[in-house]
Every structure is written in C-alpha cells, then in structure tokens.
Amino acid sequence: MAAIILSARGLTKHYDGLKAVENVDFDLKAGQIHALIGPNGAGKTTFVSLLSGRIPPSAGTITFDGEDITQLPAHTRVARGIAYTFQITSIYANLPVFDNVALAIQRKGTKHLHSDTMAALARVGLETRADQIAGTLAYGHQRLLEIAMGLSMNPKLLILDEPTQGLANAEIEAFNALVRAVTPQTTVLLIEHNMDVVMDLADQITVLNFGETLSSGTPAEIRADPAVQTAYLGG
C-alpha cells in the first residue's frame, strides 16, 4: 500500500459567494500518476493553486510529506518538493533554453550546473535547442521546456496543468513516456482535458464538478461511473 504524500481535508475556496472549491477531501499516493479532470469551470485550476500555495484557502487543511503546509507560501512549498507547471507557459521568453533550465536548477543548488541542465533538457528532447531563444520555440516545445524546468528541481510532487495542450500527436507519445519514466521517484498530479492521455497514464482519477468531488477511482471505475458520464464524458 503506497504512502499518502499529499492530503487535503475540507479544502474550500470562495470568491464573493462563488464556491470555486467546496469541501474537497483528496489523497495523493506517493509514486503514482493521479489525474484531476472535470468540465470547464469545475474548479480544477483553483484546486491546484490551493495545493501549490498560489492562493490561500477559505477553509480546510493541506499536508505534504507528513507536514501541515496549509499556510506556507508557494516558494516554500517549492523548496519542500512541490513543482507546478502552469496552464499557460511561464518560461523566460527572452533567454536561451539552457538559461531557463539553469535558473530553475540554481534554486536547488548544484555543483554541476551545465551537466545537470543538459541532462534535464535531454529528458524532454530539447538538448539540441539549448542555445535557442525560448520565446522562438514552437508552443509544444515551450510546454516541454517548462516540464524540464519542473523536473530539473527533482521534485517529490510534479503538478502538470494541461501539459499536452498544443502538443502534436508524436509529442504526446513522447510526453506519456516521459511522465511514466519519472514515476515512482516523483509523484505526478496531472490536470488534463485529453481523455486518451488521462486513461493511458493515470493510476487514479479524481473528477471535480462545480468545485466538489464528483467521483474518485481507477480509470476503469471512472469510465463506468454514470454520474461522470453524464457530467463530463458525454455518455
């Protein structure tokens, strides 16, 4: 039985009466790929923003690796081992690809900056583009660069928000292989609209709808859930 690396209890976020996230209980098992799915407006991005510390909760608690992190700011959670790649790319567009990853690695501290940076780029297939200005990369390659930046910090938990958006089919296959390769050393929380990717990769799936947990289970259980079919899978 895998240990729980991250746990949320009663996690809630209200905006002027709007219930973006409402009383969500959530457990993330170490070494697994856990997908978070749901219709647009279901509260997925708000939920992961709560987990990563980008916004404070209205109520509830979050524990990570056995410690209460509910009040910790995002940069402290990064130092604890949570890396979050954004739905919209957050690269340094005017800097070379190499420098983007090197800056991320420097935050962790390393004596082997060049070799560690090139190794991180090689993991996502961008080592031949190290000298290219990041903003001139194709959108799909910018997403891969962002994943390299996240992985370069050797996180315990990697949160990927819509990572395959803008990727070609061949790039999606490479992405799937990459995510499989980082587990079980790294736990992955995947927020993804591409259901083929979700069903192919995820060990566990949680479905949010109107800010609440609609269902949670294995891909087979989620596929067979009538409530999920009605709300999201179009059954």
Side-chain angles (χ1 to χ4, degrees), residues 83 85 91 97-98 100-102 104-105 116-127 141-155 158 160 175 178 182:
T85 72
I91 60 171
V97 166
F98 180 94
N100 271 262
V101 176
I105 289 177
D116 287 356
T117 300
M118 290 306 295
L121 289 173
R123 287 179 83 175
V124 299
L126 291 179
E127 68 274 24
H141 287 147
Q142 291 185 23
R143 301 309 315 257
L144 293 173
L145 172 58
E146 197 186 32
I147 292 167
M149 291 164 70
L151 284 174
S152 71
M153 299 162 75
N154 295 319
L158 179 64
L160 299 171
F175 167 79
L178 173 68
V182 305

Side-chain angles (χ1 to χ4, degrees), residues 199 202-205 215-224:
M199 294 298 177
D203 300 300
Q204 289 284 125
I205 300 172
S215 186
S216 195
T218 64
E221 289 167 342
I222 294 300
R223 212 186 251 121

Side-chain angles (χ1 to χ4, degrees), residues 59-78:
T61 59
I62 306 165
T63 57
F64 177 68
D65 213 13
E67 293 186 36
D68 188 326
I69 62 165
T70 311
Q71 302 302 326
L72 293 183
H75 65 89
T76 307
R77 296 186 200 197
V78 170

